[in-house]
Amino acid sequence: MDAVSTRLAAQWSRCRVEVTNTRTAPPADGASYLEVQYPVTNSAQITIGAPGDNWWRDEGVIRGVLHLPTGAGTETAALWADQLSDIFRGKVFGGVECFAPSSTLVDDGANNGNYIVISVAIPYWHDYLG
C-alpha cells in the first residue's frame, strides 16, 4: 500500500487521492477524487526449507475508483481511467509488479448521484522474505 501511495503521489495529479475507509462522505466541494482499494489479496509461501527466511508472495488487485462530477462526460472519465491504468500497467516499483489493468466500463449505470463512478482493477504481486 505504501508503494502504491508513493507512486500515485508522484504521478497522479488529476484529483485528490483517498484511501478506503478514511472518508465517510464525498468532498463537500463536489470535487473529483480517486479512491484506492485492495479488495483481493492472497498470500502464499513460494519457497520452502529455510524457516524464517522463505519467500512469500502476495497476489491481489489494486482497485482505483474514480469519482467525477456528473456531467464531466464519459470521454473524460475514460481518459482519466486510461491515464490511471498507464501509471501501473506492466510497471515494477517498490517491490510490486503490476500486470494488465481491466478495461473500464462507462455506461449509464456509472451515474451515482452527484458523481459518475468508474473503476480500474490492476492485478499485482509482491514478493518478500519472512
Side-chain angles (χ1 to χ4, degrees):
M1 287 187 237
D2 289 341
V4 169
S5 293
T6 299
R7 187 162 185 83
L8 284 170
Q11 297 193 26
W12 180 257
S13 60
R14 288 284 188 185
C15 60
R16 68 182 90 187
V17 177
E18 301 287 342
V19 178
T20 295
N21 205 26
T22 59
R23 176 177 289 284
T24 58
D29 64 2
S32 300
Y33 65 100
L34 168 63
E35 184 177 8
V36 180
Q37 304 172 342
Y38 300 89
V40 177
T41 302
N42 296 304
S43 296
Q45 186 173 347
I46 58 176
T47 64
I48 59 171
D53 199 26
N54 286 304
W55 282 96
W56 296 80
R57 174 168 291 162
D58 287 351
E59 292 185 75
V61 173
I62 303 160
R63 184 171 184 244
V65 184
L66 288 162
H67 302 255
L68 286 83
T70 299
T74 55
E75 296 83 10
T76 300
L79 175 67
W80 285 27
D82 287 344
Q83 291 171 343
L84 179 62
S85 293
D86 287 344
I87 292 171
F88 295 101
R89 181 182 292 111
K91 303 296 190 297
V92 178
F93 56 92
V96 176
E97 185 171 353
C98 295
F99 303 98
S102 64
S103 296
T104 303
L105 174 65
V106 180
D107 63 10
D108 289 339
N111 291 332
N112 184 3
N114 293 331
Y115 289 95
I116 180 172
V117 180
I118 59 170
S119 65
V120 174
I122 303 116
Y124 74 91
W125 72 33
H126 173 252
D127 294 344
Y128 57 95
L129 283 172

